[in-house]
Amino acid sequence: MSSGEIDSATVAAQSARALGISSAYLQQRGLRPCAEASALVLADVGADGREFRLTPAAAQSWRAMQLAAAADGITLVLESAFRSVARQTEILRIKLAAGDTLEQALQWVAPPGYSEHHTGCAVDIGTPGSVALREEFETTTAFAWLRAQAGRHGFLMSFPRGNVQGYSYEPWHWCFQTPERAA
């Protein structure tokens, strides 16, 4: 483990504890720690100018998948990509401030240090005309295309219905499977 991973793991553990997330809870859910990626590249730029970063391999596969979809008449857009432990903590704090219980928030948001977004390999995908990050994404032609084609580009849907991690169904969340992640 590199010193960057140790620092990231320490920060994540501290952030989780500060939010009231116990190590027993993390073990009970079977969640695996996800170290923050250190080498990120620009993968895409949203229509609003927002920059999305991924690891070089994930970014290359994302762009290839997006082009392949476009060749089939499907538009794929990024809604989210790399997210730091600090940003993950902020997202949970926002959910809690909005009135969600910790249990409710953790159905949709991974604890700091346990989000695939930290790895620089996870993407949340949308398509024009569909509300971002909603279950209704599964009714789009973009989702049908992803189900049939994303695996060819190394992306798998992380949180299908009834997933073992206990997250709510997220048809928009896909993760690039590096050889290390596949193991």
Side-chain angles (χ1 to χ4, degrees):
M1 197 180 270
S2 75
S3 62
E5 289 174 353
I6 292 169
D7 294 341
S8 178
T10 301
V11 169
Q14 291 169 345
S15 296
R17 277 195 304 276
L19 290 164
I21 303 168
S22 70
S23 58
Y25 174 83
L26 298 170
Q27 288 177 339
Q28 175 190 357
R29 289 260 310 255
L31 301 180
R32 296 184 335 197
C34 295
E36 282 189 7
S38 57
L40 297 167
V41 298
L42 183 64
D44 208 345
V45 178
D48 61 357
R50 183 174 167 203
E51 294 184 349
F52 297 100
R53 300 196 179 281
L54 293 168
T55 64
Q60 182 178 0
S61 290
W62 161 253
R63 288 190 292 268
M65 183 168 73
Q66 191 180 39
L67 285 172
D72 289 339
I74 305 295
T75 302
L76 302 178
V77 297
L78 285 180
E79 302 292 346
S80 183
F82 170 77
R83 190 180 304 146
S84 69
V85 169
R87 176 67 180 136
Q88 194 74 14
T89 302
E90 181 183 345
I91 290 169
L92 268 174
R93 288 189 190 285
I94 289 168
K95 290 245 179 229
L96 296 171
D100 283 2
T101 66
L102 185 59
E103 183 177 299
Q104 289 169 328
L106 291 174
Q107 288 178 6
W108 295 101
V109 181
Y114 293 83
S115 173
E116 289 181 335
H117 286 286
H118 302 331
T119 68
C121 292
V123 292
D124 290 339
I125 301 173
T127 194
S130 177
V131 179
L133 311 177
R134 295 287 181 252
E135 193 172 311
E136 292 80 21
F137 179 70
E138 76 175 351
T139 66
T140 67
T141 56
F143 178 72
W145 188 92
L146 286 166
R147 297 258 318 175
Q149 303 295 327
R152 292 184 177 145
H153 298 278
F155 284 90
L156 298 176
M157 183 173 49
S158 299
F159 308 118
R161 291 188 197 284
N163 62 79
V164 297
Q165 301 94 336
Y167 291 116
S168 294
Y169 174 50
E170 294 188 0
W172 60 85
H173 182 98
W174 297 74
C175 194
F176 178 69
Q177 300 301 303
T178 63
E180 301 83 36
R181 288 195 59 74

